[in-house]
Amino acid sequence: MRTAGRSQVADARTAPAVRGRIVSRPALYARLAGAARVTTVSAPAGSGKTFLLRSWVRETGLAERAASVSVQREERDPQRFWISVCDALRATEAGSGLVRPLTEAPDLDGWTIVERLLKDLAPLEDPVWLIIDDLHELRSTEAQRQLELLLMRAPPELRFVLATRRDLRLGLHRLRLEAGLTEIRADGLRFSLDEAEALFHGAGVELSGATLARLHERTEGWAAGLRLAALSLAGHPDPEGFAAGFAGSERTVADYLLAEVMERQSAEVRRLLLRTSVLERVNGELADLLTGSSGAERALQDLEEAGAFVISLDARRSWFRYHTMFADLLQLELRRTAPDEVPSVHRAAAGWYADHGYPVEAIRHAQAAGDWGAAGRLLSDHWIGLGLEGQAATAHALLAGFPAEMISADGELTAVAAFDEAEHGSLAEAERRLALATQGSAPVSAERREHVDLMVTVLRLLLARQRGDLPAVVGEAQRLLASGDALDAAELERGAELRALALISLGIAETWSQQYEDADRHLERGVALAHRIGRPYLEILGLAHWAVVALGRELAVAAERGRQAMELARRHGWTDERIVTAAHVALGLYMLWRGRLDEAEPWLERAERAVRQEADPVTVLILHYGRGLLELARGRDEDALAGLRSAEHVSGLVAAHHPLATKARAFQLHTWVRLGEAQRVEQALAEMDPAECERGETRAALAALRLAQDDPQAATAALAPILDGSAPLMEPRGWLVQAFLLEAIARDALGDQAATGRALEHALDLAESDATVLPFLLHPAPGVLESHARRGTAHAALISEIHDLLAGKQEAPAAGAPARLREPLTHSEIRVLRYLPTNLPAPEIADELSLSVNTVRTHMRHLYGKLGTHSRSQAVERARALGLLAPSSRGS
């Protein structure tokens, strides 16, 4: 034992206490509790960061207010990182009621998650600590930038504690200058002599004061060195002699203690530790395979109980991981003692994971073994499944693990890269890579040809669907259905999944092409099959588009299907993702046709945030169309024109002339009429294709023009082919309501009251079943409606509702409410917008986004123009009011 003097005179307020094997460190606890908004704990491996934070939370009663996240090793998937952050925050008392649940989903965007977290946590009233351990393992630059944004804009009640092995590149110098940063480094984490004594005492090791002082001095208070020393000394026949000779640098100490710890184990356990050290997680069966023996699960449980840096991952204690430092040392020892075994261990692990349904781990170990062929085949086999399970970001990271030259030289990986471009890049690049995979530039082995052909069919189907190329979708869907039917009994599940994907993709293309009867049939079958085989991704996708199908028939059915899709998406945490974009559109257009404009806008905005023009041109087209229609109904003609022009531009990215482009063009003509640009309408009609001029939608615009020119007789002539059915219409119900309404307005101008009443009654009859009031907002005629109501009608209630809407009783904006965006923001402008609340100057924003200062300033000017503001502060306030940014946590 130590001599009496020093131990007994230690200040009771700072002397460490031991609970179990954790040393209480009150001085550090006090520093953490009184720290600034962001605290970094930065020190080398084994410095005691994790033990400090865990004991601080437990001993100071912060368990209900602390969210703890441990970053996985070499984490490159932003989606997985942010899901773990959300889960941890939801586990706190305050966060459970504020933070919405989140699960893996295709194209889940970290920037969107950060904005959502900022919104969710804005009402936070009491302090909550977010503790992120092993942050140095976060290898995604994008996720790091997203975290930096969260640090700068989080409400003051959210405190951050970031534990890392090295200094972080997160712009923390700004917080340091503002006194918003507390830094705890290796010097601050070193164990004091009293703490070292408490550690050894807790391990049952008693040393003299002089020996303990020498050991403490030689380890420099390094927590892992002291802990490993305590483990080695426990039960040692000569602890004083061992400790007296214990010396060396950190690497020397680590190597020496590894040898001492390993030598205390049996040969079987040493082999177990070394051969399983390459795994991120291990269970008994896998360990038995890698060691060629049995009893590994019991050995791992014993090691955990002994505190030998083995940590259980589940309540049953069947899966384990090694402390990162211990794993690093074990791997070093494995490479030193048996370098030739390393590839074979990875290869065996890859085989086990593949056989047991863990494709992601299997691919990673095949890559580590240098078995690129096996890794490529595994990724190819599971790529579609990973996407349909919401793991697109993980699949993307796995593909990035292959050498670029290998991807280019392998036809299978080239096809996979084409899939990846379709999800994360652009359709043009996806099509380029697809051509390489199919034209023989990248060879495919004969035994894999059938599988690659299937992949190519799926990819072509998805690309055609996203382009809106219905003939191509039909052809590829038929091939995919035939492929699914040809699979044998052992692959029934895969065959059913392919059939569901084919049916739903076919239905989606038919939906956007407005072949509603075919779309209805295919989507109904696809949704039912997806539900039966338990594929919620496909089920939601089909339900969302099935809702769009119902828009032209029964608005109430459209709303019900859209809500079903949203509810299923909510259960899986996909409510703001691309998968439900069509449901957002359906619900937005449902509200729009019902005249509930304020309720329509949020649904369209959610859809706008979830899609990208490069990958979803058809969806973006209908969104611009819906936005233009909404602004037209509100009387914001310039904003309507911007949306409709955007729709016309995006239609150029679609494979063939899309029906929506015709409708958008017709409403663009209506808008020009309302803006008084009759000559422009005349010119556009003169330059238009004759077949398009004869369509019902164009004729309705022509009738509106003639009414504006005080020529009601010409208006009735333009409308006649619509009303007698000779002019084709894409969506008869809504356009017929509009045509009959325009006919009533024209007949009223001609003084033919009987014809006016008949036309108006036809319009109201068609509108009554679904309360389709949008045409009455697009072509206001309150006087005609009032006269008709006085003469008696069965539609008095509907006329009253229309009068209310026209009078602004449901649409009057709140005082000071901002107008809509003048033009949609680009992706680059949104990236700059997210940094405006931070008050960083333009050069620092440019550094954060890897852009030039001039580019950032150009984006800022565009933002000010689109938001209708003149300064940065006004732009931030306006963006918050529009829901583009989270509300201020400081009430500004």
Side-chain angles (χ1 to χ4, degrees), residues 37-261:
R37 194 161 60 87
V38 177
T39 300
T40 61
V41 185
S42 179
S47 298
K49 302 181 292 294
T50 300
F51 284 105
L52 168 68
L53 298 178
R54 288 179 181 172
S55 57
W56 171 56
V57 169
R58 181 168 58 248
E59 295 192 30
T60 56
L62 289 178
E64 295 297 321
R65 292 190 288 159
S68 297
V69 175
S70 183
V71 180
Q72 295 191 32
R73 190 175 184 186
E74 294 190 356
E75 179 63 87
R76 301 180 188 276
D77 189 341
Q79 177 183 142
R80 185 164 52 200
F81 168 72
W82 285 112
I83 287 174
S84 66
V85 170
C86 290
D87 288 346
L89 286 167
R90 278 177 51 77
T92 64
E93 184 175 0
S96 63
L98 295 175
V99 180
R100 289 167 282 175
L102 193 67
T103 58
E104 289 183 338
D107 286 343
L108 187 59
D109 178 45
W111 297 106
T112 302
I113 298 173
V114 170
E115 285 296 328
R116 192 164 84 162
L117 274 176
L118 288 167
K119 290 181 181 179
D120 290 350
L121 295 171
L124 198 61
E125 296 179 354
D126 298 316
V128 170
W129 281 264
L130 174 57
I131 301 170
I132 305 179
D133 199 6
D134 291 333
L135 189 54
H136 58 275
E137 295 288 1
L138 186 59
R139 304 301 171 85
S140 166
T141 302
E142 186 175 20
Q144 292 172 6
R145 298 284 75 79
Q146 292 157 1
L147 176 60
E148 179 179 7
L149 192 63
L150 182 64
L151 293 175
M152 288 188 285
R153 291 178 51 201
E157 291 78 15
L158 182 61
R159 314 288 177 81
F160 296 86
V161 181
L162 311 176
T164 175
R165 290 186 184 179
R166 53 182 175 269
D167 286 346
L168 304 169
R169 296 181 179 179
L170 292 176
L172 297 177
H173 60 281
R174 291 181 287 269
L175 287 169
R176 188 179 295 114
L177 291 174
E178 298 167 4
L181 178 66
T182 296
E183 298 176 272
I184 300 175
R185 297 187 175 275
D187 286 347
L189 287 174
R190 288 175 181 167
F191 271 43
S192 67
L193 193 57
D194 290 316
E195 289 169 335
E197 180 187 22
L199 174 64
F200 282 103
H201 181 76
V205 177
E206 302 294 336
L207 297 173
S208 68
T211 301
L212 179 63
R214 284 196 299 271
L215 186 57
H216 176 264
E217 180 182 2
R218 291 170 183 172
T219 61
E220 299 183 22
W222 178 46
L226 290 167
R227 191 171 298 279
L228 283 170
L231 288 171
S232 299
L233 286 166
H236 197 285
D238 183 16
E240 290 284 326
F242 172 81
F246 192 79
S249 65
E250 177 180 318
R251 170 55 65 182
T252 305
V253 169
D255 289 343
Y256 184 84
L257 286 177
L258 174 61
E260 287 296 318
V261 171

Side-chain angles (χ1 to χ4, degrees), residues 18 195 359 371 496 735:
V18 178
E195 289 169 335
D371 193 348
W735 285 91

Side-chain angles (χ1 to χ4, degrees), residues 524-825:
E524 182 177 17
R525 291 171 56 196
V527 167
L529 180 56
H531 179 76
R532 188 164 67 248
I533 63 176
R535 291 293 182 271
Y537 174 91
L538 285 174
E539 186 178 358
I540 294 167
L541 184 67
L543 273 172
H545 287 85
W546 202 15
V548 176
V549 171
L551 283 173
R553 299 177 172 188
E554 297 180 80
L555 289 179
V557 173
E560 177 59 27
R561 288 175 185 166
R563 292 186 185 109
Q564 287 176 4
M566 292 304 303
E567 173 57 26
L568 188 55
R570 184 193 63 77
R571 288 184 231 156
H572 292 272
W574 295 337
T575 53
D576 291 320
E577 309 310 323
R578 284 175 58 194
I579 188 175
V580 288
T581 300
H584 293 154
V585 170
L587 289 165
L589 292 179
Y590 163 77
M591 298 296 180
L592 181 56
W593 281 101
R594 295 290 303 271
R596 293 152 64 176
L597 308 186
D598 283 344
E599 296 177 67
E601 185 167 33
W603 289 110
L604 295 179
E605 287 180 340
R606 291 174 73 178
E608 288 167 350
R609 289 195 292 267
V611 298
R612 292 179 294 112
Q613 180 170 299
E614 297 84 354
D616 297 280
V618 176
T619 307
V620 173
L621 170 59
I622 194 172
L623 282 172
H624 285 316
Y625 168 76
R627 171 61 66 187
L629 212 53
L630 174 64
E631 301 302 350
L632 198 60
R634 284 177 161 165
R636 299 172 183 168
D637 297 336
E638 291 288 354
D639 291 339
L641 191 60
L644 294 167
R645 280 174 172 169
S646 296
E648 186 176 28
H649 169 72
V650 174
S651 68
L653 302 176
V654 179
H657 180 76
H658 199 279
L660 275 175
T662 297
K663 293 197 291 184
R665 180 68 170 171
F667 276 121
Q668 189 172 332
L669 296 176
H670 281 289
T671 308
W672 279 336
V673 170
R674 285 170 49 154
L675 289 169
E677 300 187 32
Q679 189 59 42
R680 191 168 188 175
V681 179
E682 295 279 15
Q683 182 180 351
L685 289 169
E687 296 172 353
M688 195 175 291
D689 180 80
E692 188 172 357
C693 276
E694 292 304 313
R695 292 202 60 86
E697 295 84 0
T698 307
R699 283 190 161 274
L702 176 59
L705 172 64
R706 298 303 179 227
L707 285 172
Q709 294 172 330
D710 294 324
D711 190 351
Q713 192 66 52
T716 62
L719 291 167
I722 304 176
L723 303 182
D724 66 21
S726 60
L729 285 170
M730 296 170 193
E731 288 180 353
R733 177 183 292 273
W735 285 91
L736 277 176
V737 172
Q738 187 175 184
F740 277 116
L741 176 58
L742 289 170
E743 174 76 2
I745 295 170
R747 293 298 178 182
D748 181 69
L750 292 169
D752 188 344
Q753 295 306 311
T756 300
R758 288 193 299 272
L760 194 54
E761 196 67 13
H762 277 304
L764 293 167
D765 282 340
L766 289 169
E768 182 71 59
S769 60
D770 283 333
T772 306
V773 300
L774 179 62
F776 299 92
L777 304 183
L778 299 177
H779 305 285
V784 176
L785 285 168
E786 186 175 349
S787 297
H788 186 67
R790 284 199 302 267
R791 288 193 295 270
T793 175
H795 305 294
L798 179 58
I799 291 176
S800 176
E801 180 184 348
I802 294 168
H803 274 304
D804 288 346
L805 290 171
L806 291 174
K809 290 183 179 179
Q810 295 182 19
E811 287 297 314
R820 273 295 308 150
L821 282 173
R822 295 178 176 178
E823 184 181 348
L825 303 184

Side-chain angles (χ1 to χ4, degrees), residues 473-555:
V473 170
V474 171
E476 300 304 333
Q478 289 173 344
R479 276 186 280 276
L480 191 58
L481 287 169
S483 299
D485 292 338
L487 294 174
D488 57 31
E491 298 179 285
L492 283 178
E493 183 177 337
R494 186 183 181 200
E497 187 176 76
L498 293 177
R499 285 192 293 275
L501 177 61
L503 288 167
I504 290 171
S505 295
L506 186 57
I508 290 171
E510 291 162 340
T511 299
W512 296 136
S513 299
Q514 297 185 315
Q515 297 187 13
Y516 292 134
E517 290 187 7
D518 292 335
D520 189 72
R521 183 176 68 258
H522 289 132
L523 287 170
E524 182 177 17
R525 291 171 56 196
V527 167
L529 180 56
H531 179 76
R532 188 164 67 248
I533 63 176
R535 291 293 182 271
Y537 174 91
L538 285 174
E539 186 178 358
I540 294 167
L541 184 67
L543 273 172
H545 287 85
W546 202 15
V548 176
V549 171
L551 283 173
R553 299 177 172 188
E554 297 180 80
L555 289 179

